[in-house]
Structures are given as structure tokens and as C-alpha cells.
Amino acid sequence: MIRMKPVDVVIVGFGWTGAIMGMELSEAGVEVLALERGNYQDTSPDWAYPGIADELAYGIRGKLFQPLARETITIRHAVSDTAVPYRQYGSFLLGNNVGGAGTHWNGQHYRPSPEDLEFRSHIAKRYGEKFMPADMQIQDYGVGYDELEPFLDQFEYVCGTSGRAGNLNGAIQQGGNPFEGVRKRAYPNPPVADTQGARLFADAARALGHQPFPQPASNASQPYTNPYGARLGPCNLCGYCERFGCYMYAKATPQTTILPVLMRRKNFTLRTGSHVTRINLDAGGKRATGVTYVDAQGKEIEQPAELVIVAAFQMHNVRLMLLSGIGKPYDPATGAGVIGKNYAYQMMSSIGLFFDKDTAINPFIGAGAGGSQIVDDFNSDHFDHGPLGFIGGGYIIGGQTGGRPIQQLAVPPGTPAWGAAWKRAAKDSYLHTTFVGTHGSVMAYRDRYLDLDPTYKDAFGQPLLRITFDWHDNEYKMTRYLTERAQEIVARMKPRTTSQTLRKPGDHYDTRQYQTTHTTGGVIQGNDPATSALNRFQQSWDVPNVFVTGASAFPQNLGYNPTGLIGGLTYWSAKAIRETYLKHPGPLVQT
Amino acid sequence: MSNQPRSPSRRGFLRQSLAIAPAVGLLGTSAFAPTQHATAAAQPSAYAPRYFTAPEWEFLQAAVDRLIPANEDGPGALEAGVPEFIDREMEAAYGHGGFWYMQGPFVPDTPSTLGYQLRFTPRDLYRTAIAAIDDWCRKQHDKDFPALAPEVRDEVLHQLEKGGITLEQVPAATFFAQLLQNTKEGYFADPMYGGNRQMGGWKMIGFPGARADYADWIEQPGKVYPLGPVSIRGERQS
Ligand SMILES: Cc1cc2nc3c(=O)[nH]c(=O)nc-3n(C[C@H](O)[C@H](O)[C@H](O)COP(=O)(O)OP(=O)(O)OC[C@H]3O[C@@H](n4cnc5c(N)ncnc54)[C@H](O)[C@@H]3O)c2cc1C
């Protein structure tokens, strides 16, 4: 095996969190190497107009996604089932290449609610321990909102997030989200203008006494230079956002916010075409000595490093920890072990609104995040769950992200899927359709987890990651409650007719329907090595020179999109590494 | 990998794309006659399939013609070039299953919620299913599928959709879902892929295609958008 020159820090995966770590740790003066399995890509030439406006190549065939032919995951609904491969893209999409899923995300950019970070303690205090079903194993993050606030803020300023503050230093702001935690300063940019769907939604929500606000968007509403000196352009609501790179330099991606500066640093190196297969440990198993990767020619290479940052996306992080034998694998029979524990997802519902021909929605005018309106009254613990008998919630969203016709064209309920009637309905509905959706949390349960598949392998012959997941009663109740609230708003909007997607008791997790790529857990953070894999700084309890970034750290899933919290936690962890760990390598939390 | 970022200046990029856009406007569509000849203006029968055999090609045309029939609402799938689109996709990585995880073991009787579990690539699925459907039609109706009257073809397609027909080797509903998905792709994808001729699918619904620039429309929600579609290659329709 080829052995490379040792480095101070090796970063596995170069998406959102890998880029943040690269930037922050190279700033500290150490030698940083990032290994990315995919290719280099940048706004120009890779996503230049008009080539990027290609729904088939990007939106449907998934030009930017991880090629499933080489590596996928397997899925089963219950511990007693046999898992089968996720052979085609459906419910979630995985990133690949420089920038990772951070290049083809939507930019919906949220902070957690303060109670989300200490969820178990909060629920126990407000409703009593018995309010949680026996098999629900929700936990606290080990870091509180006030500690994390400066880092959530830092990530928003790097991204140029566009939005309206709801709670500035404790003062509730008109037109913002009244439920948000205290923020020390406003968003760096004003909100993106509303689409027509969002306007109709917000008017109806206000009439019902809700407090709608513009969705915080990492789609810049105006030209913006971030604290690193990187320049973003204004979003023009082109409609090619999620699943696409942004040709306008408007969506925050590693390419628009970090790479223009980081790639010039002498002590930072990026090596693409480098697929990491494991983290190497010394004989005692308590110290990582670096990583092994396979290069573009298929050669196996050892890369020694003093510090390993695992930044390969939630699922890949879990798999690498299992393949490397770091931390005890989780066992659903006993509830012991930590790696693979508390896998969670999100539960969405959606309502299509079909208006008469005098309502011009122009669905193609849309952005991944900007231009939508949000009602947050039924998220987190913003409302009294006592009489409702479930835990968690989500936000209600109104608006449109684009009107790409292969994927986003909808026809009224009862329309056949083909033939002359379908054609007439497509023609009559397209310009007059918008959507209202709910975006809900999923709790963690004893029988929902990740481990290595006993049968299926990737292109390198390594076992695939196996997901054991299905919905629980708590989530069916949550989604029904939220969807009823959404229906009240929809009724006020007075569409001619509506269609509805709602997951009901008895419906199994359906891997064919896109839901979200907000998969969480598996290498969770917390205060106790018996119940978490990482300490509050995202450092492995077992191997302290390994840090793991990304949504794998979430002990359960929130109702919000994850990346705002992921970025905040990464900056929080980077600061601890820079200011404490690099001076005194070792555990940042004593046990 | 060098450490030099590759992105040229954004301004340079914008200048370039501005220079291209008005030129298209000035020349109008007729300037693109050579490109259109190959794709948009050709007759449905002018394209010679590269993957499908003659009987398969006839099946495909007879089927998509019913999925999106020609009428006053807009072009039918044949006029839109959907068969050409599908044939070209069969020779692309997609048709060869290049985007799918295709390692065994295969467990086809898995619950449908866990997704596609057949060992067929798209091109294999078409080949196997078309033969089986023609076979079934000969047994039931004494004719191949393409020779059936339009109403009978509709009925067969409805049965396939519901999984009401048992075919040898392939679940009928799985094949039907793939055929319908590819048909809609061919109807609405950019015309450079061989379908959506003259952007007829886009024009029918009012989608402006690759315009992807609504800077001046953001502030006027609710107004009817007036411009017709453009394609990635710069063809225009009003
Ligand atoms: C279509 C879509 C829409 C989304 N929209 C939103 C949204 O609106 N809001 C939101 O909050 N979130 C959204 N997300 C989620 C968001 O993209 C992720 O939360 C975020 O990118 C996670 O950052 P990460 O660094 O953990 O992983 P990524 O950004 O995915 O980066 C991981 C990188 O690691 C590389 N890698 C993986 N394995 C290896 C290996 N073995 N060796 C070397 N390299 C490896 C990958 O190629 C990739 O480049 C969306 C995701 C998708 C797919």
C-alpha cells in the first residue's frame, strides 16, 4: 500500500461541513488535507447557463447525485425483515463531488428552537417523563441554544441568508418569526420577494390569526459579500434550484461562500477522486492514525494524520464509523451501544391547490427557499401538546420552488394519469397551481437504527449501510394535526379544488416518494458516553482525535431543515478544536 | 488537483451570456433551421431507431400515441417525438441501468414501498415487456398490440396500469409505470433529447423552458407571464 506524507488534519468528504472545517482549521495554521471521492466542480463552467436549465439531466436523472450504481444503502421496515437495496432515487437524494449535497440543496435555512436542543429535558419538565412512549429514546444535544447562537449566526452570515428577524435581543419583531430563539443581530439580507403562491398563503394565514413570515433563504436577495470576502449574486427565482447548481452565484454553496478563499490557502490541499474506506486506528484502538482511501485509479492509499474529521454526510459518517470499528455498534435488542443509534427522518404532507384561470400563479417563478412563506405556530413545542398526545411538530409552508414540468406538474384529484383527460387537465392546471406543505419532525425509537448490511456490497466490496425504519404512531398523529391546520389555511385561500398527500396509520415508509434528504442520527452527540457517540463538541468519546460533523449528530429529528443547525454545530466544534484541542490534543470533555 | 479556483469572473460570464441571448432574438427561429431539421421538424416516422427492433418500435409508437393522444389541446406524443426520445435514452447510460444499483441478490416480491427490485435495466425491461404484451394480445385478440383499435389499446394499457394482466417475467404495472414516466419525460424534457419537438409540450402548458430569469417578474406576482419558451440551444417559440 502507498503511504502518503502525514498531515495535521485530514477531512473525509468535502461538502458543506468539510468546507467549513477546512476553512476554520487552515485558518489556525495547521496543514489540512480534504479527501473527496467525487470530482471538482464550480459554478462556472459546471453549472453555467443555459446548460444548467436541464430538468432531465439534473432534476430527473440526478447528474449531481451520488451514483447509486457504485454505492447505495439497503432498507427494511422492521428488525425482523430482510433489507433490500435502494436501487433508484426516491425518498432522499445523496450528494457527490466537491460541495456535496450543499451544491444542490434548496437553501431553506433555519435555526433550531431553543427547546429542540434539550428536547428530552424540556418534554419531561413540561409534560412529565410518562408523556414519552416507552420505546421513544429522545435525548439532549449537550449544547444549549444560547451557547450555540453565535455559531448559528456565523453560518447565516457566511451564507448571506435572507430573512426577517423575529426576536432581536428579546424584542419580538413585526413580520418575523415570533417563535424563534433570541438572535443577537438581524439576518444579513432582507427577505426574497414572495411568489404569488406565498402571497395567497400568507394573507389567508394572517386572516386566521397566524403569524406568517418569509422563509429564511440562503438564496441571496441582493448582491452580498460574506465575512470571508466571497461574493454572492442576487437570486432571480429561476426555478432551477433544488437538485441543480446555481448559475446565478445566488444560492449559498461551498463554491459561492468558502472555496474562492479556501482554495488559495497554502496550508490547505484538496484531493479529489479519493474515496475513504476506513479510519485507521493504532493497536490500542484509542487513537486514529489517519485514513485509507482508494484513488481514481483504484489504488489503495494510506494517509496518516494527527486529527480526522469525518464530514461525509450523515449516512456515510455512520457507515465509516462502523467499518472502522470506532465506538460500540448499537443493538436494538438491548438498547446498548451507540453507533447507528437513533436514526430518524422527517414526515411531510402536501396539499396541491388548483385555482381558476383568472389566478396566475406562474409556478416556474420560484426559488429553492426564497419566495415562500412560513407558519411556525405548530413546530417544536410552540404549542401545548398536553391534550394532543404527541411530541414534536413542524412548520407549514406556502409557495413554490419552480414549475419544472416533468417533476412538478400536478393535476387535480380524480384526473387519470394519462390520455386526453390528463392532457386537458395538465393544460388547464399548470399555470394556476400552487402548494401548501407541512414539514414535520420524527422522534427517535429503540427499533429504528443503522447497521451494516449482511448481504449487499459497494463497488469496493464493502458492506452497505442498512436502514431499519418505519413510522410510529406519534408521527401519524403529528402529521394529521399539522395537516388539519394547513387545511384551514388552504380553505381560506379558496382554490377551486385541492389534492392531498398525508401519511396515515398503516402506511409504511415509502422509499419511492421524495420526502426530504433530512436523514439524521447514527453518531449522536450528548453528555453521556453510554448513550451518545460524540461529546458536545462532536468529538468521539472512544477515539478523541476523531470528530464527526453533520446531521448524524442529531439525537432525533426536528421539524426544521437541518443545515442551519449542522453549520452552527460545525462552527462550534471548529472553535473548540482551534482554541483548545490543537493546543492540548485529547478529550474536550472529561468522563 | 491544483489549488487555483477555476471560476472566471462572474461579470465576464454575464457579458458572454448577454451577448448570446439577443442574437437569438434577432435571428429568430428560422436561423436554426439546420438544428430543427434533425429534431423538431422531422416526421414521426423519419427517425430510425437505434435500440428498438421494428416490432418494438411499432409497439412504442402505438402505446405512446394513446398515453398522450394528438388533439386540439396540444401535440400528441408522436408529434412531440416521444418514441425518438425513449429510443435515444435506451442507448444512454440510463437505458443501460447506469444510474441504478444493479447488484443482486434480487428479491422481486418485496413490498412495493421498498422500490424497484427487478434485475432488468430499462432497456431489458422494454424488450421483455413488449414481447410479453404482444404475446398476450395475440392470445386474447389475435393481433399484436399495434394492430389493435385505439379503444382496445387503451383497455390493454389500463389493464397493464392496474396490474390486471399477468405477463411472463415482468410485473405489468412496473413496466407501465416506466413507460408512462419516460413518455412524460420525452414530452417535457428539453428538445435536445429528441422529444418535446418545437417545445410543443411546454407551449401547451405555458412553461417558458430554459428562460430561468424572472428578475423583473419577482415584484409583480399574479400578472400573466407573457413570453413563450426557449430551449437550451436557444430555439424560441412565441
Ligand atoms: C435536493 C436536496 C435539497 C435539500 N434542501 C435543503 C434545504 O433546503 N435546507 C436544508 O437545511 N438542507 C437541505 N438539504 C440537506 C443539505 O444538503 C445537507 O444537510 C448538507 O449538505 C449536509 O452537509 P454535509 O457536509 O454533512 O454533507 P454533504 O454536503 O453531502 O457533503 C458530504 C461530502 O462527502 C463526500 N463523501 C461521502 N463519502 C465519502 C467517502 N467515503 N470518501 C470521500 N468523500 C466522501 C460526498 O461526495 C460529499 O461531497 C437538501 C439536500 C438535498 C439532496
Side-chain angles (χ1 to χ4, degrees):
Chain A
M1 184 156 37
I2 303 161
R3 194 163 187 274
M4 304 298 273
K5 188 169 98 21
V7 293
D8 297 319
V9 182
V10 69
I11 299 174
V12 180
F14 198 53
W16 254 138
T17 63
I20 293 171
M21 276 291 183
M23 191 70 190
E24 293 297 304
L25 299 186
S26 62
E27 177 96 4
V30 293
E31 190 72 34
V32 180
L33 167 70
L35 298 175
E36 164 60 42
R37 63 180 174 185
N39 300 321
Y40 197 76
Q41 54 176 352
D42 210 341
T43 306
S44 175
D46 300 290
W47 312 324
Y49 180 83
I52 193 66
D54 184 344
E55 183 184 14
L56 184 73
Y58 294 92
I60 306 298
R61 301 283 183 258
K63 195 166 171 182
L64 303 182
F65 306 160
Q66 168 181 320
L68 293 183
R70 295 174 65 80
E71 179 187 337
T72 186
I73 37 91
T74 68
I75 308 179
R76 58 181 181 173
H77 288 131
V79 179
S80 54
D81 296 348
T82 301
V84 289
Y86 180 64
R87 296 185 183 276
Q88 307 174 342
Y89 276 113
S91 73
F92 52 82
L93 310 166
L94 301 166
N96 194 43
N97 298 324
V98 164
T103 63
H104 54 77
W105 72 318
N106 291 53
Q108 307 185 352
H109 192 139
Y110 292 90
R111 294 179 171 198
S113 286
E115 66 266 27
D116 287 332
L117 297 173
E118 37 181 34
F119 211 51
R120 181 166 200 104
S121 310
H122 175 90
I123 297 295
K125 198 164 139 216
R126 183 164 178 189
Y127 306 104
E129 281 281 345
K130 289 220 178 68
F131 199 65
M132 292 173 262
D135 63 342
M136 186 189 279
Q137 45 193 27
I138 60 180
Q139 295 183 194
D140 297 351
Y141 280 68
V143 53
Y145 178 86
D146 292 341
E147 281 176 297
L148 206 54
E149 202 279 337
F151 305 94
L152 298 167
D153 172 275
Q154 186 176 1
F155 188 44
E156 286 163 358
Y157 272 73
V158 165
C159 288
T161 311
S162 303
R164 188 167 292 133
N167 182 349
L168 264 184
N169 293 302
I172 299 302
Q173 306 293 306
Q174 190 65 29
N177 180 4
F179 297 98
E180 74 181 7
V182 175
R183 60 171 62 243
K184 293 281 160 48
R185 49 177 180 166
Y187 285 102
N189 283 307
V192 176
D194 287 337
T195 59
Q196 176 66 347
R199 283 219 325 202
L200 299 173
F201 170 81
D203 289 347
R206 250 187 304 274
L208 283 172
H210 300 317
Q211 300 162 81
F213 59 92
Q215 169 162 253
S218 282
N219 311 148
S221 57
Q222 57 186 17
Y224 174 72
T225 304
N226 79 5
Y228 293 140
R231 177 88 168 159
L232 282 82
C235 172
N236 67 2
L237 284 88
C238 79
Y240 294 89
C241 195
E242 73 275 353
R243 303 177 177 221
F244 299 77
C246 175
Y247 79 90
M248 286 297 288
Y249 295 76
K251 182 165 71 177
T253 65
Q255 280 79 357
T256 52
T257 59
I258 296 174
L259 302 197
V261 182
L262 176 57
M263 296 303 285
R264 291 199 168 87
R265 289 212 175 131
K266 294 268 183 300
N267 60 336
F268 175 81
T269 311
L270 167 66
R271 214 175 282 152
T272 53
S274 306
H275 188 112
V276 175
T277 51
R278 75 180 166 274
I279 302 151
N280 303 319
L281 301 178
D282 69 6
K286 290 280 156 210
R287 201 181 159 274
T289 58
V291 301
T292 297
Y293 68 92
V294 180
D295 77 2
Q297 298 180 55
K299 283 186 302 204
E300 203 168 61
I301 296 176
E302 187 193 339
Q303 175 61 59
E306 291 296 319
L307 177 61
V308 178
I309 310 287
V310 185
F313 186 76
Q314 179 264 335
M315 292 186 188
H316 307 305
N317 290 348
V318 183
R319 182 161 174 258
L320 275 169
M321 296 294 272
L322 291 166
L323 289 172
S324 311
I326 302 177
K328 197 166 162 240
Y330 174 72
D331 179 353
T334 62
V338 290
I339 308 295
K341 181 185 165 181
N342 282 18
Y343 174 75
Y345 196 33
Q346 283 181 325
M347 173 98 78
M348 331 290 286
S349 69
S350 140
I351 303 165
L353 287 77
F354 303 91
F355 288 93
D356 282 325
K357 288 196 171 161
D358 54 1
T359 303
I361 299 284
N362 299 325
F364 42 84
I365 303 178
S372 291
Q373 285 269 337
I374 303 298
V375 165
D376 209 29
D377 303 43
F378 309 103
N379 206 346
S380 299
D381 200 35
H382 303 167
F383 56 113
D384 183 8
H385 289 70
L388 301 172
F390 68 84
I391 292 166
Y395 63 78
I396 307 174
I397 179 170
Q400 60 214 46
T401 68
R404 302 182 303 272
I406 302 173
Q407 195 204 340
Q408 296 179 314
L409 178 134
V411 288
T415 308
W418 53 277
W422 169 81
K423 198 175 160 190
R424 169 63 59 86
K427 178 183 179 170
D428 288 349
S429 311
Y430 174 75
L431 291 173
H432 314 288
T433 307
T434 191
F435 294 91
V436 169
T438 74
H439 191 279
S441 61
V442 167
M443 298 301 115
Y445 298 91
R446 181 154 171 166
D447 61 349
R448 302 297 180 239
Y449 73 110
L450 305 168
D451 64 355
L452 294 176
D453 191 274
T455 308
Y456 295 96
K457 307 252 182 320
D458 70 6
F460 302 111
Q462 299 211 98
L464 298 182
L465 188 74
R466 174 170 70 178
I467 299 176
T468 303
F469 182 77
D470 210 346
W471 312 114
H472 276 236
D473 286 346
N474 183 73
E475 281 64 38
Y476 295 123
K477 285 187 206 158
M478 181 279 301
T479 204
R480 167 158 294 282
Y481 180 76
L482 242 74
T483 307
E484 282 167 0
R485 305 288 78 73
Q487 284 286 16
E488 291 162 3
I489 301 173
V490 166
R492 276 259 167 182
M493 293 168 74
K494 301 204 167 32
R496 183 164 50 80
T497 173
T498 62
S499 64
Q500 180 174 289
T501 311
L502 172 70
R503 295 179 171 83
K504 298 185 213 64
D507 288 348
H508 288 292
Y509 167 43
D510 191 335
T511 67
R512 296 168 300 178
Q513 303 164 350
Y514 185 75
Q515 285 147 85
T516 69
T517 307
H518 310 155
T519 56
T520 61
V523 193
I524 66 177
Q525 67 177 89
N527 279 328
D528 179 357
T531 56
S532 59
L534 309 175
N535 67 26
R536 63 202 296 262
F537 299 107
Q538 309 205 300
Q539 178 181 35
S540 163
W541 291 110
D542 296 87
V543 181
N545 65 337
V546 170
F547 287 72
V548 186
T549 57
S552 44
F554 294 11
Q556 56 277 328
N557 212 339
L558 356 100
Y560 299 109
N561 310 56
T563 310
L565 176 54
I566 289 170
L569 287 171
T570 307
Y571 277 110
W572 151 259
S573 169
K575 182 164 195 271
I577 297 173
R578 283 175 68 164
E579 295 182 358
T580 312
Y581 181 90
L582 290 179
K583 292 183 189 125
H584 307 285
L588 293 169
V589 177
Q590 298 306 324
T591 47
Chain B
M1 177 70 243
S2 96
N3 268 3
Q4 281 311 306
R6 284 193 294 153
S7 61
S9 86
R10 173 179 151 77
R11 212 177 272 137
F13 151 76
L14 282 178
R15 210 182 301 127
Q16 229 185 348
S17 53
L18 279 177
I20 293 165
V24 174
L26 289 175
L27 294 174
T29 33
S30 62
F32 289 85
T35 5
Q36 280 193 1
H37 212 80
T39 55
Q43 290 304 306
S45 56
Y47 174 81
R50 288 185 296 153
Y51 173 67
F52 291 110
T53 62
E56 289 166 352
W57 185 240
E58 276 183 38
F59 172 94
L60 195 63
Q61 302 198 64
V64 302
D65 182 41
R66 301 313 305 157
L67 295 179
I68 307 182
N71 60 23
E72 67 286 357
D73 286 328
L78 289 181
E79 253 174 296
V82 167
E84 173 180 341
F85 167 87
I86 298 179
D87 184 68
R88 285 165 59 163
E89 284 297 288
M90 292 304 109
E91 290 294 351
Y94 168 76
H96 288 265
F99 297 136
W100 299 352
Y101 180 82
M102 292 305 284
Q103 292 186 43
F106 291 89
V107 191
D109 48 5
T110 300
S112 59
T113 48
L114 293 178
Y116 187 80
Q117 296 298 335
L118 304 182
R119 61 170 68 241
F120 298 115
T121 61
R123 60 196 334 245
D124 294 340
L125 190 65
Y126 274 96
R127 182 139 293 162
T128 314
I130 291 173
I133 295 166
D134 270 340
D135 197 47
W136 186 89
C137 291
R138 275 191 299 273
K139 283 192 186 123
Q140 297 293 318
H141 300 286
D142 276 336
K143 283 180 187 147
D144 284 349
F145 179 84
L148 300 174
E151 315 78 66
V152 186
R153 276 185 272 151
D154 283 355
E155 184 47 34
V156 175
L157 290 168
H158 279 299
Q159 289 298 325
L160 292 170
E161 183 178 25
K162 286 191 296 198
I165 293 178
T166 307
L167 302 175
E168 238 181 89
Q169 299 196 48
V170 268
T174 306
F175 170 69
F176 181 85
Q178 161 124 13
L179 174 67
L180 183 59
Q181 167 70 17
N182 292 155
T183 300
K184 288 183 182 173
E185 288 169 3
Y187 197 70
F188 288 129
D190 189 273
M192 70 182 172
Y193 293 102
N196 192 13
R197 282 199 188 131
Q198 283 162 340
M199 296 171 262
W202 290 349
K203 270 176 71 176
M204 181 183 82
I205 58 172
F207 176 57
R211 282 197 182 275
D213 176 7
Y214 304 111
D216 49 350
W217 284 84
I218 297 168
E219 302 292 348
Q220 19 188 356
K223 285 232 178 90
V224 175
Y225 184 79
L227 301 178
V230 301
S231 74
I232 290 174
R233 290 189 178 150
E235 298 127 321
R236 296 177 71 147
Q237 292 284 334
S238 50

